[in-house]
Amino acid sequence: MTLHEVRPGPTGATPVVLLHGFPLDHRMWLDVAAALPAGRRVLAADLPGAAGAPVDLSEPSLESAADDLARELADAGIERAVVVGLSMGGYVALALAQRAPALVAALGLVDTKSTADADDARANRLRIALEALDGDTLEPVRPMATTLVGETTRAARPEVSERIAVWIDGQSPAGVAWSQRAMAARPDRTDVLHEFAGPVTVVVGDEDVTTPVAAAEHMVAAARDAHLVVVPRSGHMSAVEQPAAVAAALAELAQRADHA
């Protein structure tokens, strides 16, 4: 795992840590980071296997990714942070909140869900992992550049999908396989939201068909102190499709964390 300091900031404000979705890397967060208010440290992680980094395929685990992240944050001198994850990043954020709750001041859950995969979704992940490895290819995930964005974005801004396609091409088949197998093995973590004492913001694109609004509402209902933000004209990649709206939601969450 690599932790990138996207923007330095003072020690008084709670830092923000951004965790990317699949099959991408930390670059998907750069527009959101740029739109966050100044005066706050912002970091973004490349999760295991992202950006073509070597990965141990013997133990694909979101729990190990959360543990790695906790160590990286400690090495960066961060004791508490606003932890934000989109899709797979949200799964890691929930695992971190379960395994290192003192580290998580607030949770931002963007186009993600707290439940485990259904059997058919799990089988599809394992199929993609095998195809990527056996063929040493990214072909199984290249269509996601189009399918992950909302209908409005596909019709009006094809350059967004083109940008995502470049990021996908920067990944590796081994990294794709690791991520898919790790996500397939994850448990339901709705109980983590029940137990989490800090503020939560759940963000979802109104055109997200991968983790739809109903999945977001499920998390809001489970959490003690949660706000729901529905981003118009956006699909599963709301942080890329509508970064200003996502940044505004995360800025409000960070302010809540500062005063929690």
Side-chain angles (χ1 to χ4, degrees):
M1 177 180 292
T2 303
L3 193 60
H4 302 267
E5 183 147 9
V6 179
R7 191 176 68 199
T11 57
T14 311
V16 174
V17 177
L18 303 168
L19 308 177
H20 61 82
F22 171 85
L24 306 173
D25 55 51
H26 81 282
R27 292 174 291 176
M28 60 145 289
W29 282 113
L30 293 181
D31 289 349
V32 168
L36 287 169
R40 190 179 301 274
R41 190 179 183 189
V42 181
L43 303 99
D46 280 335
L47 296 172
V55 67
D56 182 0
L57 283 168
S58 66
E59 296 184 6
S61 162
L62 298 180
E63 291 76 19
S64 67
D67 294 344
D68 287 349
L69 178 60
R71 286 190 290 269
E72 291 288 339
L73 292 174
D75 289 346
I78 293 174
E79 297 179 354
R80 278 178 71 73
V82 177
V83 181
V84 179
L86 182 144
S87 194
M88 181 178 71
Y91 306 152
V92 176
L94 285 168
L96 184 68
Q98 182 179 47
R99 298 170 75 82
L103 183 55
V104 184
L107 272 172
L109 300 171
V110 185
D111 295 290
T112 190
K113 60 184 179 181
S114 60
T115 54
D117 281 339
D119 289 345
D120 57 345
R122 186 179 301 110
N124 189 55
R125 289 194 193 279
L126 297 177
R127 176 188 62 79
I128 290 173
L130 189 61
E131 287 183 7
L133 279 180
D134 280 357
D136 191 27
T137 179
L138 295 171
E139 284 306 316
V141 295
R142 283 198 170 103
M144 295 176 73
T146 300
T147 59
L148 290 181
V149 302
E151 182 179 352
T152 300
T153 301
R154 284 197 299 272
R157 293 188 294 148
E159 69 276 8
V160 175
S161 288
E162 292 167 5
R163 188 181 186 199
I164 293 171
V166 170
W167 296 335
I168 291 174
D169 280 343
Q171 310 311 310
S172 70
V176 165
W178 188 97
S179 296
Q180 288 288 52
R181 290 172 176 173
M183 288 188 285
R186 77 185 191 282
D188 187 312
R189 284 199 165 91
T190 303
D191 61 330
V192 175
L193 287 167
H194 283 297
E195 296 166 5
F196 183 68
V200 176
T201 292
V202 178
V203 180
V204 63
D206 66 347
E207 299 174 5
D208 187 344
V209 296
T210 304
T211 53
V213 173
E217 292 172 338
H218 171 80
M219 292 188 290
V220 170
R224 301 183 191 181
D225 175 18
H227 293 179
L228 175 64
V229 177
V230 180
V231 180
R233 302 177 303 281
S234 179
H236 193 61
M237 288 285 112
S238 63
V240 181
E241 297 175 68
Q242 300 291 344
V246 174
L250 300 183
E252 189 271 342
L253 174 64
Q255 289 180 340
R256 288 159 65 203
D258 288 344
H259 298 100

